[in-house]
Amino acid sequence: MKTRTIAILGATGSIGTQALDIVRRYPEQFRADCLTAHGSAEKLFELCREFRPRFAALVNEPREIPGDLRGIEWFFGADSTVRALLAARCQDALCAIVGIAGLDAVWHALDVCERVLLANKEALVTGGDLVMKKAANLGKPMLPVDSEHSAIFQCLQARQGNPLKRLLLTCSGGALRNWKKADMYAATVRDVLAHPTWNMGGKITVDCATMVNKGLEVIEAHHLFAMPAEKIDVVIHPQSVIHSMIEFEDGTVLAQLGMPDMRGPIGYAMGFPNRLPYDAKPLDFAALGHLDFAAPDHDRFPCLGMAIRALKAGGSAPVVLNGANEVAVGAFLKEHIPFGRIAEVIDRTLQSVPVSPIASIADVYEADSQARAFAAESIKF
Ligand code: NDP
Ligand code: MG
């Protein structure tokens, strides 16, 4: 089998390290030729020692590069990820940076890579129309890594050209799924980071607790699968065993199931169309006994509805939602605001920053900085 080169952008994160676990398992299939991170220098050095990429990038320049890693071509600074990506010209790019910070990388990965493996959902939430258009024009596949979108993508392999009635995104409900509304406002960082089924980076774990994550995923699904918001439904499924579903016009529903382990969807994107076995825990239906489902509770989780309304509003509204959320989640993780303020900050920002058309990536950044400025200001009060 021929070895594929892969750039792992956000290599030190939850998705990045799990992707490297697959590279470690299949050294004859993958060569991680470009590894990037933001500030986790020591962690990146360790990964570089093991995987020996030709290119590496750190946004925050470290005091010095260890002697044994000086053979690697290093890039530093705000645009270091993109410069390393463009220099490496890998066949695949796994975009696993968190937040809109990953948008530029996704945009440029489409220019130089054969395939983009997308974990960075915020890139589609903010630049979805532009990114998908560019991917289509260049004929480059965007392979989803987010578990729900991977599930839908896997189900779609059986579509045979038939029209879809709707997509059903499943949702664990996050760490506060059983909390009373009155208690949720003051939930601590510790409460919120205790996700019941998935082990992920900090930002997305908070997003799951507010359920804005599911809203971001509705927007992501809209772009990836060209489905209108009205045809994307969310169903609460606490066991996270059904990763998502598609429904056809004849009422048939196809689902993709598995134990919650991100190496499943990451490996599916990396190996596509081949499946790469890993030490997955098998599904034991008898031990599970039952699978539960419920409708989302919009009263306790207002951010889900805000995201869906932003998608329907169009233009810059999803960018504004995302920017406000990134600011509010950052403030919550630093314990500057209580959990309940996250939804308030997003809501106020969406109501105050006017919706504008998005015709270019520059428009995306303009709307993002307006939203961030408003959200940062509203956090002070
Ligand atoms: P993490 O916070 O664990 O990792 C983020 C990675 O991006 C790190 O390598 C980090 O470097 C790097 N990074 C952060 N900020 C910047 C920046 N400004 N410029 C360049 N690099 C940066 O996040 P996750 O792995 O959890 O999530 C990554 C993406 O995947 C998110 O969009 C998330 O929504 C999505 N996703 C994640 C899932 C999961 O299971 N974790 C599941 C589905 C989707 P450093 O370590 O140096 O800070
Ligand atoms: Mg997901």
Side-chain angles (χ1 to χ4, degrees):
M1 184 161 289
K2 227 171 153 249
T3 307
R4 284 187 80 78
T5 52
I6 182 165
I8 304 206
L9 314 175
T12 50
S14 160
I15 294 287
T17 49
Q18 292 181 86
L20 285 166
D21 199 32
I22 292 166
V23 173
R24 194 178 281 126
R25 204 171 286 261
Y26 292 96
E28 72 292 350
Q29 285 200 47
F30 302 105
R31 173 168 167 70
D33 227 5
C34 176
L35 300 181
T36 78
H38 184 263
S40 308
E42 290 306 322
K43 204 165 172 187
L44 189 66
F45 294 157
E46 244 175 70
L47 295 173
C48 285
R49 267 187 201 105
E50 181 181 355
F51 292 96
R52 291 275 152 197
R54 286 188 303 136
F55 303 88
L58 268 168
V59 174
N60 293 343
E61 183 164 1
R63 245 174 290 143
E64 68 165 351
I65 296 295
D68 60 330
L69 299 178
R70 294 205 185 121
I72 295 172
E73 191 171 335
W74 283 91
F75 296 84
F76 306 108
D79 60 353
S80 56
T81 307
V82 169
R83 286 189 292 126
L85 172 72
L86 295 180
R89 304 187 80 86
C90 292
Q91 288 165 292
D92 292 342
L94 172 69
C95 297
I97 289 172
V98 60
I100 194 175
L103 174 61
D104 259 354
V106 172
W107 188 254
H108 287 96
L110 284 170
D111 289 319
V112 292
C113 301
E114 290 168 15
R115 314 188 305 175
V116 172
L117 284 45
L118 188 81
N120 178 215
K121 65 190 81 183
E122 297 91 343
L124 284 189
V125 169
T126 56
D129 285 333
L130 302 165
V131 167
M132 293 310 294
K133 197 166 160 194
K134 180 168 176 172
N137 286 343
L138 295 170
K140 303 271 174 90
M142 297 272 292
L143 298 167
V145 168
D146 211 348
S147 59
E148 296 76 3
H149 307 75
S150 174
I152 290 169
F153 182 68
Q154 293 182 51
C155 293
L156 287 174
Q157 304 307 311
R159 183 181 184 176
Q160 306 274 358
N162 286 291
L164 295 175
K165 194 163 171 194
R166 59 179 178 149
L167 306 178
L168 285 133
L169 297 183
T170 52
C171 175
S172 71
L176 308 184
R177 64 187 177 198
N178 296 324
W179 284 46
K180 290 201 191 77
K181 191 182 176 188
D183 299 333
M184 287 172 70
Y185 198 89
T188 64
V189 170
R190 209 184 146 155
D191 294 330
V192 166
L193 291 186
H195 195 283
T197 47
W198 295 98
N199 184 10
M200 308 176 287
K203 191 255 179 188
I204 186 176
T205 310
V206 179
D207 287 350
C208 288
T210 61
M211 253 190 227
V212 81
N213 180 57
K214 209 49 53 179
L216 301 179
E217 291 185 352
V218 168
I219 304 175
E220 183 185 14
H222 158 77
H223 289 297
L224 279 171
F225 307 116
M227 287 293 273
E230 295 72 23
K231 289 189 171 187
I232 307 172
D233 287 339
V234 171
V235 58
I236 304 298
H237 166 46
Q239 291 91 355
S240 300
V241 161
I242 296 182
H243 297 313
S244 276
M245 302 174 259
I246 64 174
E247 186 178 328
F248 291 102
E249 297 285 357
D250 66 355
T252 295
V253 175
L254 296 189
Q256 185 261 334
L257 287 76
M259 292 299 282
D261 186 328
M262 280 308 293
R263 288 173 305 168
I266 298 168
Y268 187 71
M270 287 173 69
F272 184 78
N274 304 314
R275 289 183 182 273
L276 304 171
Y278 61 102
D279 55 356
K281 254 194 172 163
L283 260 187
D284 181 342
F285 285 98
L288 273 168
H290 56 95
L291 296 176
D292 299 311
F293 306 97
D297 179 344
H298 289 284
D299 184 39
R300 284 190 305 138
F301 299 99
C303 294
L304 172 60
M306 288 181 214
I308 294 170
R309 284 193 295 280
L311 171 60
K312 289 179 179 168
S316 62
V319 186
V320 171
L321 167 101
N322 181 73
N325 181 55
E326 288 193 23
V327 169
V329 170
F332 169 69
L333 285 171
K334 287 190 198 131
E335 301 186 326
H336 292 169
I337 59 168
F339 178 76
R341 285 293 302 282
I342 298 174
E344 291 174 3
V345 169
I346 299 172
D347 192 34
R348 282 196 60 192
T349 311
L350 276 171
Q351 288 188 33
S352 308
V353 175
V355 176
S356 52
I358 298 288
S360 65
I361 294 289
D363 292 344
V364 174
Y365 288 125
E366 174 57 32
D368 177 61
S369 57
Q370 276 183 31
R372 279 170 193 275
F374 185 91
E377 201 53 39
S378 71
I379 275 169
K380 289 188 194 152
F381 302 104

